[in-house]
Amino acid sequence: MIILISFLAGIPDALKESAEIDGSSQFGTLLRIILPLSMPVLATLSLFYAVGRWNGFQDTLMYITKPELYPLQLKLYQMIQNSQVSDLMRMEGNAISTVVPESLKAATVMFATVPILLVYPWLQKYFVSGVMTGAVKG
């Protein structure tokens, strides 16, 4: 929200006033001037939100009880937790649980990051300019 507020504060009032003088309504000014100018900020905030939702598994832990509905991140979390437990059991001499190979964990992590890596190049130009919005004054 701080990024969005600092961007909206940086839009010159002259743009809004010129649209008003030309006969644009407030809604028209929003659609024709403010929204196109704020595309970098909206893309940046969308990317932040998407990555947060993609990587989140706490909601699943609280609300979903059927294991077949678990998202990839929760399954990855469970696999890593199970491997840590099996490592501890192996250190104590109880090797009854199955061990998840490190290569399988690494492959799962890569598989979980691929969708974000595919989306990022299309949003990169907006992302960089959106992050830099409040940083440089001139």
Side-chain angles (χ1 to χ4, degrees):
M1 292 306 292
I2 294 172
I3 295 171
L4 184 61
I5 291 170
S6 66
F7 176 79
L8 292 177
I11 295 178
D13 290 333
L15 287 174
K16 299 171 195 170
E17 291 170 359
S18 64
E20 186 179 322
I21 290 172
D22 288 342
S24 179
S25 65
Q26 289 182 348
F27 187 69
T29 303
L30 175 69
L31 286 180
R32 292 186 186 100
I33 294 175
I34 305 297
L35 198 59
L37 287 175
S38 60
M39 289 304 285
V41 172
L42 294 176
T44 301
L45 294 177
S46 299
L47 186 63
F48 283 157
Y49 181 75
V51 169
R53 294 306 300 164
W54 180 254
N55 289 332
F57 62 89
Q58 292 293 333
D59 294 343
T60 306
L61 284 173
M62 291 186 275
Y63 301 126
I64 298 178
T65 57
K66 295 180 182 177
E68 63 268 8
L69 297 177
Y70 288 168
L72 179 64
Q73 282 71 21
L74 182 59
K75 291 193 182 271
L76 176 63
Y77 171 75
Q78 288 176 339
M79 185 171 32
I80 291 171
Q81 290 294 77
N82 289 340
S83 70
Q84 289 174 353
V85 168
S86 65
D87 288 344
L88 288 174
M89 291 179 70
R90 214 172 335 123
M91 289 171 68
E92 293 176 359
N94 303 330
I96 35 179
S97 66
T98 60
V99 178
V100 179
E102 293 296 321
S103 60
L104 181 61
K105 287 193 284 188
T108 308
V109 169
M110 286 303 298
F111 184 70
T113 58
V114 165
I116 297 297
L117 291 176
L118 291 176
V119 170
Y120 185 75
W122 285 284
L123 293 177
Q124 182 178 10
K125 63 180 177 180
Y126 297 116
F127 182 72
V128 170
S129 62
V131 169
M132 295 300 294
T133 295
V136 179
K137 298 290 180 185

